Amino acid sequence: MSLPHAILTALLEKPSSGLELTRRFDRSIGYFWSATHQQIYRELGRLERDGLIRALPAQAPARGQKKEYEVLPDGRAELARWTAAPQDPKPLRDPLFLRLRSAAVVGTAGVDAELHRHLDLHRRQLATYEEIDRRDFPPEKNSEADRLQHAVLRAGIDLETFWVRWLERTLDELGG
């Protein structure tokens, strides 16, 4: 499972509460690995029980205070083990492909509108990624960590570019 590893990565970058993690997932990690608020909290509990993270001591006693978590040495070791482990690529499973295949059997009503909707979504996501690229990765930002993070963003840009081109071509071929 990759969610615990995504959480360990985020906590090593910056100790955070569950709410802060949820917000960070929405703003960055969520672009390539999504998780709900409930999934994050459930996984935080599991990671804490397994001795991979701990809640930081509160600065001052307060009722209902949010817990902030940090990664323990065993958590760092687990993340390093997982990072170095081989893993085969996952096959692309997108419901849109199945819908197009099904449309070939039952008819194309509604397919054109759905393809246009997807095209709009992918164009917007591409614009978001390109803005992040301009804003967060100037040429002078060139540490190894920066290059790795930029590689992930470039993968997102390349993937969205693929989707835009593929959808435009498919719509053109279908006369839409």
Side-chain angles (χ1 to χ4, degrees):
M1 283 305 243
S2 295
L3 179 57
H5 300 101
I7 291 172
L8 288 170
T9 299
L11 289 175
L12 279 169
E13 291 172 342
K14 179 180 184 266
S16 303
S17 69
L19 180 59
E20 290 167 332
L21 278 174
T22 299
R23 289 179 180 149
R24 288 174 58 205
F25 264 72
D26 288 345
R27 288 190 320 265
S28 61
I29 293 173
Y31 286 121
F32 57 89
W33 192 268
S34 62
T36 66
H37 185 77
Q38 294 85 358
Q39 289 171 315
I40 289 171
Y41 274 94
R42 205 172 24 248
E43 198 57 50
L44 284 170
R46 223 175 275 137
L47 290 167
E48 190 172 26
R49 279 190 306 279
D50 291 346
L52 302 179
I53 65 172
R54 73 174 178 131
L56 292 169
Q59 300 291 0
R63 193 177 169 135
Q65 184 174 352
K66 61 184 177 185
K67 287 183 186 179
E68 194 168 89
Y69 295 91
E70 72 174 354
V71 177
L72 295 170
D74 284 351
R76 180 180 281 277
E78 167 54 23
L79 186 58
R81 182 209 60 75
W82 178 81
T83 300
Q87 183 173 356
D88 292 339
K90 301 277 186 228
L92 181 59
R93 291 179 51 180
D94 191 294
L96 184 60
F97 294 148
L98 183 55
R99 289 173 145 194
L100 292 179
R101 185 72 184 256
S102 298
V105 177
V106 298
T108 61
V111 169
D112 188 60
E114 184 65 355
L115 290 171
H116 279 287
R117 189 178 75 80
H118 276 253
L119 178 57
D120 183 52
L121 292 169
H122 286 289
R123 282 178 173 157
R124 283 188 283 170
Q125 191 64 59
L126 178 58
T128 298
Y129 287 166
E130 288 172 336
E131 174 56 31
I132 292 169
D133 189 33
R134 282 188 294 277
R135 182 190 69 217
D136 294 349
F137 292 98
E140 63 274 8
K141 194 171 181 183
N142 197 28
S143 71
E144 184 176 46
D146 293 330
R147 290 191 308 270
L148 288 169
Q149 289 176 352
H150 198 198
V152 173
L153 177 61
R154 281 194 322 269
I157 290 170
D158 291 347
L159 186 57
E160 293 304 326
T161 300
F162 157 77
W163 279 111
V164 167
R165 289 181 181 153
W166 180 82
L167 285 159
E168 287 172 342
R169 185 176 65 238
T170 301
L171 281 163
D172 185 52
E173 289 170 356
L174 295 176

